[in-house]
Amino acid sequence: MRVFEGLRFRRVPSPIHELDPRSKAVYVAVLSVLSIVYSDPLILAILLVLQIPLVYIAKVMRFWLNSLRGSTFLAVFIFAVNLLTSYLYMGGFTLEGLLTATAMTLRFILLMGVFSLFFLTTTPEDLSLALEKLRIPYDICFAFTAAMRFVPDIALEAQSIMDAQKSRGLELERGGFIERIRKTLPILVPLFIRSFQRSLELAEAMESRAYGAIEKRTSLYELKMARNDYVFMILSIILLTATLLIKPP
């Protein structure tokens, strides 16, 4: 469940938290484009290391590292699948296949890291306002931000249910593959029930606040781009341009 810690906002006073979500979205887009364009493990590793100073400035290093640790299983799975695919396609293990598997793994870790930094330093309310500024319908903005808000809570609740079932004698780590799947039912059933209860509570809260009664909504706070936001956006674009010029894909 550590991976979901990187999707929960952490209220820490830092320059990164004060940036407008739109400027941070440009940074996320730049890193995403570079991670897709390049397949060189060295460049992907450098881009991953470049995030560390920003994470340090944002004062969320522990949560950021926890999200990367939580994604270790998926990273290992991606590496193994790509290595196996190259083995079957090329008739054996080759250096090219190893580099490809490494690049795909680093690409996943890079994307995981940049999105984790974004969500750790951006409140759901600011994210919703930023999406509205992009002319996205409010219903979609609300659904997206509500999902981002409840996913970490559901993950914590799943961990609580697992701990409760273990205290009752449920051994999740023992048994074969099929037996382990069967043992997840005492966890999934209460988790689904609680999720439905959350959705009903949210629906009742929305109805009590007359959600959808007024087409034109107003906000208590308005997002405004500051000088630091423009500087951050320019630096992100410079990073994209410099990387493409120094080593074309």
Side-chain angles (χ1 to χ4, degrees), residues 1-14 16-18 24 55 57-67 116-125 152-153 155-156:
M1 300 300 174
R2 286 181 176 179
V3 65
F4 294 106
E5 292 188 15
L7 300 177
R8 178 186 289 231
F9 171 71
R10 306 292 174 173
R11 193 173 297 279
V12 180
S14 74
I16 306 299
H17 284 73
E18 295 175 359
K24 287 184 281 189
V55 177
I57 295 173
K59 302 177 184 179
V60 291
M61 181 66 73
R62 180 168 64 90
F63 306 108
W64 187 75
L65 291 176
N66 282 338
S67 66
S116 176
L117 176 61
F118 178 81
F119 287 113
L120 282 171
T121 59
T122 306
T123 65
E125 293 80 9
D153 294 336
L156 291 176

Side-chain angles (χ1 to χ4, degrees), residues 154-166:
I154 292 175
L156 291 176
E157 195 153 356
Q159 186 63 50
S160 301
I161 294 173
M162 291 173 62
D163 294 337
Q165 296 292 13
K166 286 181 181 179

Side-chain angles (χ1 to χ4, degrees), residues 23 32 35 54 64 68 87 92 113 115-116 118 151 215-216 235:
S23 63
S32 300
S35 65
L54 293 177
W64 187 75
L68 295 186
Y87 173 80
F115 278 99
S116 176
F118 178 81
V151 164
E215 294 184 1
K216 188 176 181 180
L235 291 177

Side-chain angles (χ1 to χ4, degrees), residues 27-43:
Y27 171 76
V28 172
V30 167
L31 268 294
S32 300
V33 169
L34 291 177
S35 65
I36 295 173
V37 169
Y38 287 99
S39 58
D40 187 348
L42 179 59
I43 295 179

Side-chain angles (χ1 to χ4, degrees), residues 14 27 48 86 93 100 144 157 179 192 201 213 227 230 245:
S14 74
Y27 171 76
L48 179 62
S86 65
F93 293 109
T100 301
F144 180 75
E157 195 153 356
E179 186 178 354
F192 278 122
E201 291 172 359
R227 183 181 62 179
Y230 291 108
L245 291 177

